[in-house]
Amino acid sequence: MAQTWGNFLFSLLDYKTEKFVIAKNKKVGVLFRLFQLGVIGYLIGWVFLWKKGYQETEEVIQSSVITKLKGVDFTNSSQSGLQLWGAEDYVIPPQGDRVFFIVTNYVVTPNQKLGYCPESPKVPDGLCTYDNECVEGESVIAGHGVKTGRCINDTGTCEIHAWCPVEHGQTPSEPMLAKAENFTIYVKNFIKFPKFAFSKLNVLPTINSTYLKMCRYDKDHHPYCPIFLVGDVINWTGYSFQDLATKGGSIGFGIEWNCDLDKDESQCNPEYSFTRLDSAKNSQNSAISGYNFRFARYYNDAAGQTYRNLFKVYGIHFDILVNGKAGRFSIIPTVISIGSGLALMGAGVFVCDMILLYMMSKSSFYRETKFEAVTKKQSGKQRERKHLRHHGHHRQDGRHKREEKQGTEMQPLTSVSCQPNNNPETQIQPTSSALKTHSSERRPQGTVSFRTQHATEKQTISPVSTLRTPRNQ
Ligand SMILES: *[C@@H]1O[C@H](CO)[C@@H](O)[C@H](O)[C@H]1NC(C)=O
């Protein structure tokens, strides 16, 4: 028992190394080198240079967006007369959010008072011919008020209790706020990559206030100007201001931060992109496209009665979307990238092995050479060992036994290593023929040579060793 453990502990200190078979085959050799070149190219070119595989990346971006619009326009409508629109009027909500809406067109229904009036004929549930179709107390589905129980013959609709008169205006076919095209949007965007404790603002510190008042963003000429013309932004989405302003629409305003933090901070700059989110290019159907909503402004008249102006506004909805990622050198992703590259080399070995051993005309020879059937040899060896013991080596020490074994294994080494292997054209002979012809002509090993010292494995392939085995039988 102790001896077994001793053997085991000693064997732990052995170093096992692999034996290689060098196949002098140019086709597979070239293929393997090409594969290696490919892997190295992939690793250096794609993984390291292009994908920056040596960097640790951060995709979480913390950001804050503040917007400010400037510009005024006058409108003149028959219902409400001359009206001035400033940013506080046309930007909804007015607090300078990431998402905002600019009024470009509207229908106003002025001076609505609470009272009784006929429902609009546009509402199907409000249509009637007789009073009993207008049940008192029921609200009109998708309508403006509560039915009173009367049908008004002039309009063919129910009388309702509502803000009267109900809305009846037509949407203007031209945007009322035509100058909205020249309104400006000032976008301030603070970002932070928490992992790298890196923060930046899209307004460069070098920009002075005079420039900020005058500049307009332009991809080529003013890429760092944070002020955008509404008309330009819409044009960059591939639509025209007229398309969107009359019926309304939605614009995605992208800010992309791709920062390589191994470079200087000044290299980390935002890129802007613009898309129309309610893509209405193929649907000219006016019922689907567009963006509008209603709001009211309330007043009290001299008598103290409340009245309101109802606005149905059409306009452009902006959504500022901030994205980004940052990378910085780190040892762990570098090691992982290199490791995965090396693992790919292993795949090349596998493929080339498959080609060499199974897909070539000489594959059977390579297979015979590379693979060794062990069972028969082991029995031979055991016999050899027994034989040695019978000759008086009755040592119990495991180490000595191993030395003996090594001694027997080393023997064929000399006979194999002195074989010339410069005869690749020779037709391969099976081992049986090698047994017969014990001469200098019997060495068909031309295309295979060995590097390591483990002669046991060579025994199967070397004719010399096959000749040797019968000696023990
Ligand atoms: C917007 O400004 C440009 C240049 O200042 C001007 O030519 C254009 O007429 C303006 N557009 C509108 C709708 O006022």
Side-chain angles (χ1 to χ4, degrees), residues 73 177-183 229 241-242:
D73 197 3
L177 281 84
K179 286 205 176 70
E181 194 177 356
N182 280 350
F183 293 169
L229 266 186
F241 177 76
Q242 290 292 327

Side-chain angles (χ1 to χ4, degrees), residues 112-151:
Q112 286 187 320
K113 286 184 176 140
L114 268 181
Y116 299 92
C117 55
E119 176 58 287
S120 159
K122 287 182 197 162
V123 181
D125 190 48
L127 299 176
C128 64
T129 358
Y130 305 104
D131 283 354
N132 59 9
E133 289 169 55
C134 303
V135 183
E136 193 183 345
E138 236 178 40
S139 61
V140 185
I141 297 169
H144 299 94
V146 178
K147 294 172 188 169
T148 58
R150 277 182 60 205
C151 185

Side-chain angles (χ1 to χ4, degrees), residues 97-317:
D97 220 342
R98 190 180 64 82
V99 180
F100 57 93
F101 177 89
I102 301 176
V103 177
T104 53
N105 203 1
Y106 65 92
V107 182
V108 64
T109 314
N111 301 321
Q112 286 187 320
K113 286 184 176 140
L114 268 181
Y116 299 92
C117 55
E119 176 58 287
S120 159
K122 287 182 197 162
V123 181
D125 190 48
L127 299 176
C128 64
T129 358
Y130 305 104
D131 283 354
N132 59 9
E133 289 169 55
C134 303
V135 183
E136 193 183 345
E138 236 178 40
S139 61
V140 185
I141 297 169
H144 299 94
V146 178
K147 294 172 188 169
T148 58
R150 277 182 60 205
C151 185
I152 295 169
N153 292 331
D154 291 353
T155 57
T157 57
C158 298
E159 188 191 55
I160 53 168
H161 187 194
W163 288 98
C164 291
V166 295
E167 183 184 279
H168 50 79
Q170 289 291 317
T171 308
S173 55
E174 289 285 305
M176 298 284 283
L177 281 84
K179 286 205 176 70
E181 194 177 356
N182 280 350
F183 293 169
T184 57
I185 312 170
Y186 176 20
V187 179
K188 262 195 282 187
N189 179 209
F190 301 89
I191 57 125
K192 186 171 184 182
F193 291 105
K195 197 184 205 168
F196 302 121
F198 176 87
S199 54
K200 210 174 168 183
L201 177 61
N202 71 328
V203 186
L204 299 185
T206 50
I207 288 181
N208 62 32
S209 57
T210 340
Y211 177 73
L212 215 51
K213 284 203 175 80
M214 299 304 297
C215 78
R216 297 287 174 268
Y217 172 84
D218 184 307
K219 206 183 176 88
D220 304 315
H221 304 107
H222 301 282
Y224 303 125
C225 175
I227 296 176
F228 300 81
L229 266 186
V230 171
D232 284 349
V233 168
I234 296 168
N235 288 340
W236 290 323
T237 67
Y239 292 84
S240 74
F241 177 76
Q242 290 292 327
D243 286 343
L244 269 90
T246 313
K247 289 279 184 175
S250 187
I251 299 275
F253 188 124
I255 306 180
E256 178 96 22
W257 295 82
N258 275 327
C259 292
D260 182 349
L261 300 183
D262 292 330
K263 293 185 186 155
D264 191 70
E265 189 185 317
S266 64
Q267 303 290 306
C268 171
N269 287 309
E271 270 183 32
Y272 302 99
S273 61
F274 312 93
T275 54
R276 183 168 178 184
L277 296 176
D278 64 323
S279 182
K281 209 152 211 170
N282 40 14
S283 69
Q284 287 302 312
N285 188 344
S286 60
I288 301 166
S289 68
Y291 184 16
N292 65 71
F293 60 90
R294 290 180 179 83
F295 69 91
R297 292 204 174 115
Y298 293 83
Y299 310 91
N300 283 336
D301 62 12
Q305 204 192 353
T306 305
Y307 70 97
R308 71 175 196 181
N309 290 346
L310 176 70
F311 288 87
K312 180 182 185 184
V313 292
Y314 299 82
I316 301 157
H317 176 256

